[in-house]
Amino acid sequence: DVKVTQSSRYLVKRTGEKVFLECVQDMDHENMFWYRQDPGLGLRLIYFSYDVKMKEKGDIPEGYSVSREKKERFSLILESASTNQTSMYLCASSLDRGGNTIYFGEGSWLTVV
Amino acid sequence: QKEVEQDPGPLSVPEGAIVSLNCTYSNSAFQYFMWYRQYSRKGPELLMYTYSSGNKEDGRFTAQVDKSSKYISLFIRDSQPSDSATYLCAMEYGNKLVFGAGTILRVKS
């Protein structure tokens, strides 16, 4: 089974802190994604990566950056956390670029106070 | 206007009922249609994937796509309390994947 692991499930951070969310997948997928999920808004794509050291902006990249130094690892970085970044963050990986092969992690719940 | 519209619910039904979940969309370029199930405090998992108009069945689940009306549905027969979850529709064209907001379903025993 494909496993996408988000090591931090629940975090509470202060405004202005730098936050790292880590994601690791074990299926050798080339494609990895970070989404945030908010009530009534569904999943919104923050950043994605189709290859190591490659990154592309999604629909809501402002306030975020990413790092992909190894194929299996995709990190989301909040340079200076703000209260409007309180949300659930979902990492995903996929075999191809389509939605039928995408696998999600269990999510990281971030609260910024 | 959102590209994909989905009633957030919650939808509450008794055990054994037939459930109908729906999404509408505005972009006729969408070619692939998916339904994901998301349990509380978990990530979404793929339930159904369809390409063309028509029906696709998998056990108690049937996905229906009507491209002419830009409308997709997920039917759940003989619903069980274990079906209680949020159901997200998703649509794709090119490499762009767009999700609905999700419908909360509660099946009462």
Side-chain angles (χ1 to χ4, degrees):
Chain A
D1 275 353
V2 174
K3 198 162 175 86
V4 178
T5 302
Q6 295 180 234
S7 51
S8 299
R9 293 295 316 278
Y10 302 95
L11 306 95
V12 180
K13 298 292 182 180
R14 294 192 182 280
T15 300
E17 274 193 81
K18 190 168 186 175
V19 181
F20 291 87
L21 299 179
E22 303 287 338
C23 175
V24 177
Q25 51 97 0
D26 66 357
M27 280 302 290
D28 203 34
H29 286 170
E30 291 187 348
N31 310 299
M32 295 191 75
F33 310 84
W34 275 104
Y35 289 89
R36 67 177 279 177
Q37 185 175 25
D38 300 287
L41 298 177
L43 274 69
R44 293 180 292 167
L45 182 63
I46 305 171
Y47 267 96
F48 60 99
S49 170
Y50 290 152
D51 202 352
V52 176
K53 297 194 185 292
M54 174 269 179
K55 59 186 178 185
E56 295 253 4
K57 292 180 181 179
D59 299 319
I60 52 163
E62 296 79 19
Y64 303 95
S65 63
V66 290
S67 172
R68 193 163 182 203
E69 296 295 321
K70 292 185 177 182
K71 191 175 185 178
E72 67 272 17
R73 190 178 297 269
F74 193 35
S75 302
L76 180 69
I77 303 153
L78 286 68
E79 295 289 344
S80 178
S82 64
T83 55
N84 63 13
Q85 292 179 309
T86 291
S87 186
M88 168 143 129
Y89 291 88
L90 284 162
C91 175
S93 73
S94 71
L95 181 62
D96 58 36
R97 299 187 184 186
N100 64 320
T101 64
I102 194 167
Y103 295 87
F104 288 90
E106 296 205 319
S108 297
W109 293 84
L110 172 66
T111 301
V112 183
V113 297
Chain B
Q1 184 189 7
K2 290 181 180 177
E3 280 189 288
V4 178
E5 298 277 1
Q6 184 175 10
D7 187 333
L11 178 62
S12 188
V13 301
E15 183 177 355
I18 296 173
V19 175
S20 172
L21 303 167
N22 311 294
C23 287
T24 59
Y25 61 96
S26 56
N27 190 341
S28 58
F30 286 127
Q31 296 179 302
Y32 302 92
F33 305 89
M34 288 139 283
W35 286 96
Y36 292 82
R37 178 176 61 198
Q38 184 176 22
Y39 290 117
S40 181
R41 303 274 165 172
K42 300 288 188 181
E45 55 179 344
L46 182 66
L47 260 185
M48 301 285 284
Y49 172 79
T50 54
Y51 169 64
S52 59
S53 284
N55 293 354
K56 181 176 180 179
E57 192 172 315
D58 184 0
R60 296 184 296 110
F61 299 89
T62 300
Q64 190 174 79
V65 175
D66 182 348
K67 286 187 175 181
S68 62
S69 301
K70 297 190 181 70
Y71 189 88
I72 70 170
S73 299
L74 178 71
F75 297 98
I76 307 173
R77 289 184 300 279
D78 187 24
S79 56
Q80 303 294 310
S82 59
D83 294 327
S84 297
T86 298
Y87 290 81
L88 300 153
C89 65
M91 306 178 189
E92 180 184 355
Y93 69 92
N95 294 324
K96 185 173 172 66
L97 184 61
V98 180
F99 288 85
T103 298
I104 298 170
L105 172 66
R106 296 179 183 143
V107 181
K108 297 177 290 185
S109 58

